[in-house]
């Protein structure tokens, strides 16, 4: 409802009175007060033929009848006029709305204009000649739209919290758990092969020593902390130890049977010593087929020991 219709409905409605013909003046039919809408685009010359409901309201009255009337002939039609408090609240609302509209218009005027009907490129900017501010605003608008769509879709479309899908060169999906199991099994097989190869490099003596150390550790659970001179097991262990330069070895009544640690018989004849202390087996024919390195090694070692002893003796003589 326009302002003119509101005023005409609440304030300018009067009872129509029969026209009285005056002797002095001639009145024309249809003359009176006319309230026209200020928003009209042009003059309406043909007011009689205008049948639009939104047209101006015509009140048939003249100033003479208003002057002769002794009582108020105005009647209130529709809602009553607003009070001062309601009018103040309405004015405040209208004022705030107008301020917001002005602020929005000012912000829109300051911001670069973005034409929604223009052709957009993949980056979000419009095609054609533009300013730097317009391109920046278009990129920011696309970023905001993508962020809003991302938040609306949620974790279902974003893939958050889901397991990563791996593919091979042909595009087939790789079962990660199966691949991990295969890699674990392969690593275990390689470790077993390496342990077997290391074990194969050892001789029978090393294996027997390893087994003996393991059995000693098992027996150590039940042994006391201190071991004394009358310990039977300790004495037997010391007696079994062979020392090549032991002067009391010839007084032993019990001789060894001449078997190795692995249980195989040993060579009973004389044999050249070696740095590892390994005696030849019972199938050796007595021929030294070595390069002579062991003999030279013992000779150098003995020479160094003799020189050290001589130096010590000369120092003591001085």
């Amino acid at each position: 409802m326009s302002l003119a219709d509101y005023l005409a409905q609440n304030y300018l409605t009067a009872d129509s009175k029969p026209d009285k013909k005056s002797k002095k003046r001639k009145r024309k039919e249809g003359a009176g007060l006319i309230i026209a809408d200020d928003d009209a685009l042009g003059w309406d010359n043909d007011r009689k033929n205008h049948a639009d409901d939104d047209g101006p309201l015509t009140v048939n009255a003249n100033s003479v009848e208003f002057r002769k009337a002794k009582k108020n002939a105005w009647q209130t039609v529709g809602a009553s006029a607003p009070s001062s408090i309601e009018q103040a609240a309405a004015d405040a609302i209208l004022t705030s709305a107008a301020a917001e509209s002005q602020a929005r218009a000012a912000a829109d005027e300051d911001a670069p204009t973005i034409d929604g009907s223009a052709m957009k490129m993949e980056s979000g900017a419009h095609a054609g000649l533009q300013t730097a501010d317009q391109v920046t605003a278009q990129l920011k608008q696309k970023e905001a739209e993508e962020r809003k769509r991302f938040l609306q879709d949620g974790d279902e479309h974003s893939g958050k919290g889901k397991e990563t899908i791996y593919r091979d060169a042909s595009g087939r999906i790789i079962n990660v758990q199966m691949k991990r199991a295969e890699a674990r099994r392969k690593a275990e097989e390689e470790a077993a092969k390496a342990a077997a190869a290391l074990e194969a490099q050892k001789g029978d003596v090393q294996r027997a020593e390893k087994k003996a150390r393991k059995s000693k550790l098992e027996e150590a659970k039940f042994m006391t902390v201190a071991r004394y001179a009358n310990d039977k097991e300790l004495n037997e262990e010391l007696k079994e130890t062979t020392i090549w330069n032991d002067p009391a070895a010839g007084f032993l009544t019990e001789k060894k049977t001449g078997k190795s640690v692995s249980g195989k018989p040993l060579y009973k004849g004389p044999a050249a010593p070696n740095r590892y202390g390994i005696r030849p087996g019972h199938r050796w024919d007595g021929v030294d087929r070595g390069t002579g390195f062991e003999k030279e090694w013992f000779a150098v070692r003995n020479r160094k020991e003799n020189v050290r002893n001589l130096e010590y003796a000369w120092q003591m003589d001085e």
Side-chain angles (χ1 to χ4, degrees):
M1 178 184 294
S2 63
L3 181 61
D5 295 338
Y6 177 79
L7 295 175
Q9 182 179 358
N10 293 281
Y11 298 98
L12 300 181
T13 303
D15 296 337
S16 59
K17 294 183 179 180
D19 296 337
K20 294 182 180 180
K21 295 182 180 180
S22 175
K23 297 180 181 180
K24 296 180 179 180
R25 297 179 181 179
K26 295 181 180 180
R27 296 191 300 272
K28 295 182 180 180
E29 295 293 334
L33 181 63
I34 299 175
I35 299 176
D37 193 355
D38 295 338
D39 298 334
L41 299 178
W43 296 96
D44 190 3
N45 296 326
D46 190 6
R47 301 183 184 275
K48 295 181 181 180
N49 298 329
H50 184 63
D52 192 0
D53 294 339
D54 296 334
L57 182 63
T58 303
V59 179
N60 296 326
N62 52 23
S63 59
V64 178
E65 293 178 355
F66 280 103
R67 286 196 302 269
K68 290 182 180 180
K70 296 181 179 180
K71 61 180 180 179
N72 188 8
W74 297 101
Q75 293 183 0
T76 303
V77 179
S80 60
S83 61
S84 59
I85 300 175
E86 294 178 354
Q87 187 67 30
D91 294 341
I93 295 172
L94 293 176
T95 304
S96 62
E100 291 178 0
S101 300
Q102 292 178 359
R104 193 182 302 108
D108 294 340
E109 290 177 359
D110 295 339
T113 305
I114 299 176
D115 187 6
S117 61
M119 182 182 297
K120 290 186 178 181
M121 296 184 292
E122 185 178 1
S123 61
H126 293 171
L129 184 61
Q130 301 175 82
T131 62
D133 295 337
Q134 290 178 344
V135 175
T136 304
Q138 294 163 9
L139 296 177
K140 289 182 178 179
Q141 182 180 2
K142 183 181 179 182
E143 183 179 357
E145 292 176 356
E146 291 179 351
R147 185 182 297 107
K148 182 179 179 181
R149 185 165 56 252
F150 178 78
L151 295 175
Q152 289 178 353
D153 292 342
D155 297 341
E156 183 178 357
H157 296 280
S158 63
K160 184 178 180 181
K162 294 185 178 180
E163 187 178 359
T164 305
I165 298 176
Y166 298 92
R167 299 179 182 273
D168 56 6
S170 60
R172 293 177 297 181
I173 298 176
I174 300 174
N175 192 342
V176 180
Q177 296 180 356
M178 185 173 63
K179 289 293 182 180
R180 288 176 180 173
E182 291 179 358
R184 192 182 304 109
R185 184 171 59 255
K186 186 176 181 181
E188 292 176 356
E189 292 177 355
E190 291 180 356
K193 289 181 180 179
L198 182 61
E199 190 69 20
Q201 295 175 2
K202 298 179 181 179
D204 296 337
V205 177
Q206 286 81 6
R207 295 193 186 94
E209 290 177 353
K210 181 179 179 181
K211 186 177 180 181
R213 287 195 301 268
K214 188 175 181 181
S215 62
K216 286 182 180 180
L217 290 175
E218 292 294 334
E219 293 175 359
K221 297 179 181 178
F222 309 101
M223 293 173 57
T224 59
V225 178
R227 303 186 72 179
Y228 301 97
N230 57 355
D231 192 342
K232 184 178 180 181
E233 294 180 358
L234 180 60
N235 293 330
E236 292 293 336
E237 184 179 353
L238 294 176
K239 287 180 181 179
E240 291 177 358
T241 304
T242 303
I243 302 175
W244 68 274
N245 57 354
D246 187 5
F251 300 101
L252 296 176
T253 57
E254 294 182 3
K255 301 292 183 179
K256 291 186 178 181
T257 57
K259 290 185 179 180
S260 64
V261 180
S262 60
K264 296 179 180 180
L266 298 175
Y267 182 75
K268 296 180 180 180
N274 54 64
R275 49 188 164 163
Y276 300 107
I278 301 175
R279 296 177 60 187
H282 66 285
R283 291 189 176 89
W284 185 50
D285 57 358
V287 179
D288 188 3
R289 296 177 177 84
T291 60
F293 177 80
E294 298 291 337
K295 183 179 179 180
E296 293 292 334
W297 186 84
F298 279 108
V300 172
R301 185 179 180 185
N302 293 334
R303 184 168 58 252
K304 288 183 178 180
E305 187 69 22
N306 293 334
V307 171
R308 184 167 59 252
N309 293 334
L310 288 173
E311 288 178 354
Y312 178 76
W314 292 338
Q315 290 176 2
M316 295 301 293
D317 291 342
E318 294 176 357

